[in-house]
Structure formats: structure tokens, C-alpha cells
Amino acid sequence: MVKSLKRGPELYSGKAKTIYLTEDDHFLIMHYRDDATAFNAQKKESFSRKGLVNNYFNAYIMGKLQEAGISTHFEQLLSDHESLVKRLNMIPLECVVRNVATGSLVKRLGVQEGLSLEPPILEFFLKDDSLGDPAVNDSHIHTFKWATDEQVAQMKRISLEVNELLKPLFLNAGMILIDYKLEFGLFGDSLMLGDEFTPDGCRIWDAVTFKKMDKDRFRQDLGNLIETYEEVAERLGIKIPNATSLCDS
Ligand code: 5GP
């Protein structure tokens, strides 16, 4: 059932989404814009359909996770660019799970690009643009009280559960889930997955050709960003409308 909550004032505008209050304190509206940014917003561009594709993509993945019993803030799609979510008190950390070595892991540790990581590596980063989201460990999180030890254990457990669910989902569609970033928050006392899961915040490679099918296409000027996001969606069976099907308010 569609919750009929009206969009209220803007709460926050991030790099690719704008968050609005609603009449109900417990819910927010996430508006996926057409903007893409990289390198801490030093590189910026707008791509037609990006917001729409990411909105539907995220709804599909969050739905799959919820079906499997993982709590997320996602409530429902409201329109092509908007979704209703629970209002979480966000934990200021990014949890990154890596199945294959690439990106900052290769730069920081000098390991071989493309190395298969078994078991997967889980890393925490502090969400702080002014510091460039530095890597932090359990000891930093404990001492600086960014999360309790129990919350850290929960975030690790859920992050790896997400991997067990999504890795085969992508592989069955001919793609490798290389790595991804998750963010968590509290709804009352309940810790749950927040933010988004889209090709903006994960790496996906074609399983045969290793073609990059994620935001690295933008970061590395590889072209066809949205066409490739749509190809990922199509392979997963995600239905994305061609024209505006639901009315954006
Ligand atoms: P890396 O640490 O290699 O740069 O990124 C690891 C994974 O986390 C990649 O899938 C990357 O897209 C994602 N990631 C890390 N930080 C951010 C961020 O600030 N925003 C987004 N959208 N994704 C991020």
C-alpha cells in the first residue's frame, strides 16, 4: 500500500540525492538526482536518466535483501526519482566489502589488481568528506564512540550476509560483484541498512570480458555510463520505465 506522505522541506542535499522531510517524523523521501560526482566531488557531471535508473535499481536490491530477512530503511518507490525510507540516525561509517582487489585497496596496500579475495575483506571508512573518508579500524570506532562494539559486530555480519545474497544474484546474470559500500543507521534501537545500493556505490564487472559496469566508467572516462547501468539492470531483470510512468511531485 502506498503511504501518502507529502514531500516537506529539504533536509539535506548530497552528491547524487536530495533528502526531504515528510509530515511524519519517522519517514523521509529520497530524491535520486541525475548528478554524478567522483574524487570527493572534484569531478561532476549530469546524466539524463541516472536518477531514475538508480532509484529503480536500489528498490530492487533493497527488496531482495528484505525478502531474505535483512532490515533496511527502504519502504517503497514513490515515483521515478523518489523513494520513501525510514528516517535513521546514521552511523558515520562506510562499510566496504571486497571480493576482488581493486580501487583504494590496491593503492593503499600494493596488492595485485584483480586478485580474488577469499575470504572477502571488510573495511570501515569514516564518513567525512573534509578528511577524504579515511580508513578506520574497530579500535578507532570503539574509542571515538562512532558505534558500539555490538553495532560493529552487527554491521560486519549484515555486510557479509549481503555479500552472500548479492554475489550469486550478479553471477547468475553474468556479472561479478567486485566490491561495495554500505551505510547503516538506527531506527529507534534497531540497526538497519540505510543509504542506497546502486552501481554508484559498488563495482560490477562482466564475468567474461571483465568490462567495468559501474561508476568507474565515470571515474575513468570510459563512457556509456547510463547505458551500462541499464545493461546491469536488464541482466538482473529490473524493469525500468522508458518514460515517466509515475508522477513526480
Ligand atoms: P574504494 O575504497 O576502492 O575507493 O571503494 C570501494 C567501494 O566502495 C567501491 O565500490 C566504491 O564505489 C564504494 N565507495 C567507497 N566510498 C564511496 C563513497 O563515498 N561514495 C560512493 N558512492 N561509493 C563509495
Side-chain angles (χ1 to χ4, degrees), residues 67-82:
E67 272 171 30
I70 292 179
S71 293
T72 86
H73 70 158
F74 182 79
E75 288 283 318
Q76 64 192 46
L77 277 168
L78 293 176
S79 67
D80 281 353
H81 284 260
E82 292 185 334

Side-chain angles (χ1 to χ4, degrees), residues 4 6 12 18 26 43 45 56 76 81 86 97 103 108 119 124 127 144 146 156 164 167 170 175 179 207 220 224 244:
S4 54
K6 284 210 182 63
Y12 167 78
T18 304
H26 297 102
K43 179 173 172 155
E45 212 174 315
Y56 281 90
Q76 64 192 46
H81 284 260
K86 291 191 183 72
V97 175
R108 277 180 285 127
F124 287 105
K127 244 187 107 61
F144 296 121
W146 291 319
K156 287 183 181 174
E164 289 317 305
K167 243 185 357 178
F170 281 91
M175 295 172 286
D179 57 29
Q220 299 171 12
N224 294 331
T244 303

Side-chain angles (χ1 to χ4, degrees), residues 106-232:
V106 168
K107 285 202 191 102
R108 277 180 285 127
L109 304 183
V111 294
Q112 191 196 328
E113 168 91 16
L115 188 70
S116 179
L117 304 170
E118 190 55 53
I121 286 177
L122 194 153
E123 297 177 315
F124 287 105
F125 295 84
L126 180 65
K127 244 187 107 61
D128 187 327
D129 284 342
S130 66
L131 298 174
D133 296 346
V136 294
N137 63 28
D138 298 38
S139 175
H140 297 115
I141 298 171
H142 179 85
T143 296
F144 296 121
K145 298 187 171 50
W146 291 319
T148 66
D149 293 354
E150 193 193 334
Q151 288 163 354
V152 169
Q154 272 182 297
M155 288 190 283
K156 287 183 181 174
R157 181 179 52 74
I158 299 169
S159 296
L160 294 173
E161 269 175 32
V162 167
N163 203 31
E164 289 317 305
L165 289 163
L166 297 188
K167 243 185 357 178
L169 191 87
F170 281 91
L171 201 54
N172 289 338
M175 295 172 286
I176 306 169
L177 181 58
I178 301 293
D179 57 29
Y180 55 90
K181 182 260 301 173
L182 302 177
E183 295 182 28
F184 294 88
L186 296 168
F187 189 64
D189 290 336
S190 305
L191 183 137
M192 56 184 73
L193 184 60
D195 195 46
E196 65 175 68
F197 193 106
T198 68
D200 272 4
C202 66
R203 289 193 177 95
I204 303 157
W205 293 355
D206 179 275
V208 176
T209 63
F210 304 129
K211 176 174 89 164
K212 295 180 180 183
M213 305 185 78
D214 52 69
K215 204 168 83 174
D216 275 352
R217 298 202 72 80
F218 173 63
R219 295 186 186 104
Q220 299 171 12
D221 292 319
L222 300 175
N224 294 331
L225 181 74
I226 302 309
E227 293 82 349
T228 313
Y229 281 21
E230 296 214 51
E231 185 185 342
V232 176

Side-chain angles (χ1 to χ4, degrees), residues 39-52:
F39 313 120
N40 210 356
Q42 286 171 46
K43 179 173 172 155
K44 284 187 203 170
E45 212 174 315
S46 212
F47 294 90
S48 171
R49 285 179 67 78
K50 177 170 180 287
L52 173 146

